[in-house]
């Protein structure tokens, strides 16, 4: 385990979300998500895509 506040941890969040989403799709889940300190910090530090 590592420090969830590092740049590496924050940069890993998008790929983790992609993997979780793919697994959820394959098993037929209707919802999915990633939780934790790094995911929360990423959400706060990254503006939403409004395009």
């Amino acid at each position: 385990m590592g420090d969830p506040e590092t740049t590496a941890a924050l940069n890993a969040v998008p790929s983790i979300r992609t993997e979780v989403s793919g697994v959820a799709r394959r098993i037929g889940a209707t919802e999915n998500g990633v939780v934790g300190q790094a995911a929360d910090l990423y959400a706060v530090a990254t503006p939403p895509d409004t395009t």
Side-chain angles (χ1 to χ4, degrees):
M1 303 292 169
D3 183 352
E5 295 183 18
T6 65
T7 300
L10 296 179
N11 288 341
V13 171
S15 62
I16 294 168
R17 287 180 174 165
T18 298
E19 285 297 316
V20 168
S21 180
V23 170
R25 218 176 6 264
R26 286 192 296 278
I27 65 170
T30 58
E31 296 182 15
N32 70 80
V34 175
V35 298
Q37 190 173 357
D40 291 346
L41 291 171
Y42 181 85
V44 170
T46 307
D49 183 7
T50 59
T51 59

